[in-house]
Amino acid sequence: MPESGPTRTQGHIPTVDAAPTPALALASGVAARRAGLLVTLVLGGLTALPPLSMDMYLPALPEVTGALHAPAATIQLTLTACLAGMAFGQLVVGPMSDKWGRRRPLLVGMVMYVVATAACALATGAEMLIAFRLLQGLAGAAGIVIARAVVRDLYDGIEMARFFSTLMLISGVAPIVGPLIGAQILRVTDWRGVFHVLTVIGVLLTLVVAKWLHETLPRERRHGGGVVEALHTMRGLLTDRVFTGYVLSGGLAFAALFAYISASPFVVQEIYGASPQTFSLLFGLNSIGLVAVGQINGKLLVGRVSLDKALGFGLVTIALAALALLLMTTGVFGEVGLAPVAAGLFVLMSAMGLAMPNTNAQALMRAPHAAGSASALLGTSSFLVGAIASPLVGIAGEATAVPMAVVQLVCALGAVACFLGLCRPWRAPATPITQSTRIAQS
């Protein structure tokens, strides 16, 4: 029989020869929005898992110190090991995703994460826990680096900056609910229960990725080289002054953030005598500030204010908050209680909502040909500097918050210096790195 209209079917998928009808256009728009929301939720889950792995564990740090009969500085190395694993793991997974696509390395990393997290719950000593946390970080790196690379595959320019702010809204839930969940787990079980819950979350997210996250890097855009090719790509990226400036600025800002994450359980609970539940509430409030400012950045500032201006304001605010914390903790303002210190930490955390999405967007826009490698360098710098900063905050013991404030101020000033000295935002934007310039440099 002849077709009665312009639409024919192949299987169950309609194909249209003529212009789409309003009904088909509306259905197509709804499907696109649903697909976009699904990708957003999956990528948000991947970026939320690492902070969730950190933050659910934070209220248990004092308990782990007693249970494993280890000093606080040693137990803080469990955070350092996880961060170091995430840093170096991204250097491997990022180039792998440029060569083999995003999906396969991600699934392998997620399975390894589940195994490593389950092993953390079985650790019988501090050294064993540190080793398993290192493995957990190495595996968890896949979700971080590939999520950013997928965003670069799908978006560009202002849309990419907006999407990163949206991801911050989703992933920002993890720091809010993580300590709260961890504190409630500690009410009914010990610190090992935190890792049991994380294992279940890892299994569920792995199943979601396997079912709903499709490949975003076509074969024709993949790199065929091996380790040497990956190293050449990274060298080409790092020889770009502007790209390196954004990487270092973002990494140092993240180190200031992680100095807070690493030290705050001891500062709030041991120095100021707060309960794990009070610490969790304060940590959640600070995370709400970060998420709120990130949404202001994505919904109001992007497209109206240059990304560099928003980034610069965020970095300067972080530095001023760190300076105020140093003055308070050294006694310049006399004996201060928990409220002023918590206010300073709130401002510092909130300003991260301007620094983090804009450094990611600006750096990735410089490297459209190698999103995986660029994402790996971004993540590695952040987590490596954070891993170095983590043990420094406890170098003077558990009775003072001065080392935390010193580390935060040094990192914040370093971030401002790198932004001004290398990115030079007052100049016209430089041409992004291209495949041809990378080949010429190599």
Side-chain angles (χ1 to χ4, degrees):
M1 293 179 60
E3 296 175 354
S4 59
T7 303
R8 66 181 187 272
T9 60
Q10 298 175 349
H12 65 281
I13 304 174
T15 61
V16 182
D17 292 329
T21 65
L24 283 176
L26 178 61
S28 177
V30 172
R33 285 194 296 272
R34 286 177 178 172
L37 177 61
L38 185 59
V39 170
T40 302
L41 292 175
V42 173
L43 296 182
L46 291 173
T47 55
L49 186 59
L52 195 63
S53 302
M54 292 285 182
D55 300 334
M56 279 181 61
Y57 174 65
L58 291 179
L61 279 177
E63 180 181 323
V64 176
T65 301
L68 298 183
H69 308 290
T74 300
I75 297 303
Q76 282 176 328
L77 287 177
T78 62
L79 297 176
T80 302
C82 191
L83 273 181
M86 290 180 184
F88 292 110
Q90 291 183 68
L91 287 178
V92 177
V93 177
M96 285 173 58
S97 74
D98 284 337
K99 180 179 180 180
W100 290 313
R102 313 302 185 200
R103 182 176 165 83
R104 196 190 319 174
L106 176 58
L107 288 173
V108 172
M110 291 301 299
V111 172
M112 290 179 57
Y113 172 87
V114 170
V115 174
T117 305
C120 288
L122 303 176
T124 57
E127 294 79 8
M128 187 180 297
L129 182 59
I130 291 171
F132 288 146
R133 288 284 279 175
L134 175 64
L135 182 59
Q136 185 189 40
L138 287 168
I144 306 170
V145 68
I146 293 179
R148 274 197 303 261
V150 168
V151 174
R152 186 63 184 92
D153 293 339
L154 299 177
Y155 300 95
D156 196 6
I158 290 176
E159 289 302 317
M160 182 166 58
R162 285 182 175 146
F163 194 89
F164 275 125
S165 293
T166 302
L167 278 187
M168 182 169 291
L169 173 62
I170 300 172
S171 62
V173 173
I176 296 172
V177 304
L180 295 174
I181 295 173
Q184 297 309 311
I185 292 172
L186 294 177
R187 284 179 174 269
V188 297
T189 183
D190 61 5
W191 62 272
R192 298 179 191 275
V194 174
F195 290 107
H196 289 143
V197 174
L198 285 172
T199 301
V200 174
I201 294 173
V203 170
L204 294 176
L205 187 55
T206 302
L207 295 175
V208 169
V209 168
K211 183 173 178 60
W212 282 300
L213 187 62
H214 303 294
E215 183 58 61
T216 60
L217 185 66
R219 290 186 179 275
E220 61 270 16
R221 289 174 52 196
R222 298 178 188 178
H223 295 186
V227 176
V228 174
E229 174 71 14
L231 292 175
H232 283 173
T233 299
M234 290 184 178
R235 187 184 70 179
L237 292 171
L238 291 175
T239 55
D240 178 60
R241 170 180 51 80
V242 180
F243 175 83
T244 302
Y246 288 123
V247 168
L248 292 177
S249 298
L252 288 167
F254 183 84
L257 170 64
F258 199 76
Y260 157 74
I261 293 174
S262 180
S264 60
F266 298 97
V267 171
V268 175
Q269 295 180 73
E270 302 296 332
I271 297 178
Y272 292 99
S275 67
Q277 287 70 37
T278 300
F279 162 73
S280 300
L281 289 173
L282 290 175
F283 197 93
L285 180 63
N286 291 340
S287 300
I288 290 174
L290 187 152
V291 171
V293 173
Q295 292 313 292
I296 292 173
N297 176 71
K299 305 298 183 183
L300 299 179
L301 299 182
V302 171
R304 295 180 175 88
V305 178
S306 73
L307 299 184
D308 278 334
K309 286 183 179 179
L311 171 58
F313 182 80
L315 293 178
V316 170
T317 303
I318 293 170
L320 292 176
L323 176 60
L325 286 168
L326 181 61
L327 294 177
M328 284 187 284
T329 55
T330 52
V332 172
F333 301 130
E335 192 72 25
V336 298
L338 177 59
V341 173
L345 291 172
F346 176 81
V347 174
L348 186 145
M349 278 281 283
S350 298
M352 294 291 172
L354 293 175
M356 294 167 63
N358 291 325
T359 51
N360 286 338
Q362 290 287 66
L364 288 173
M365 278 193 286
R366 298 284 304 168
H369 68 283
S373 295
S375 178
L377 289 172
L378 275 170
T380 297
S381 65
S382 297
F383 287 103
L384 187 59
V385 178
I388 295 172
S390 175
L392 296 179
V393 300
I395 198 170
E398 304 173 27
T400 175
V402 172
M404 177 191 73
V406 170
V407 171
Q408 288 174 330
L409 182 58
V410 170
C411 291
L413 293 177
V416 172
C418 289
F419 176 63
L420 295 177
L422 296 176
C423 301
R424 301 175 187 175
W426 57 88
R427 296 186 178 182
T431 303
I433 313 167
T434 63
Q435 179 75 4
S436 58
T437 57
R438 182 187 61 79
I439 293 173
Q441 290 167 346
S442 62

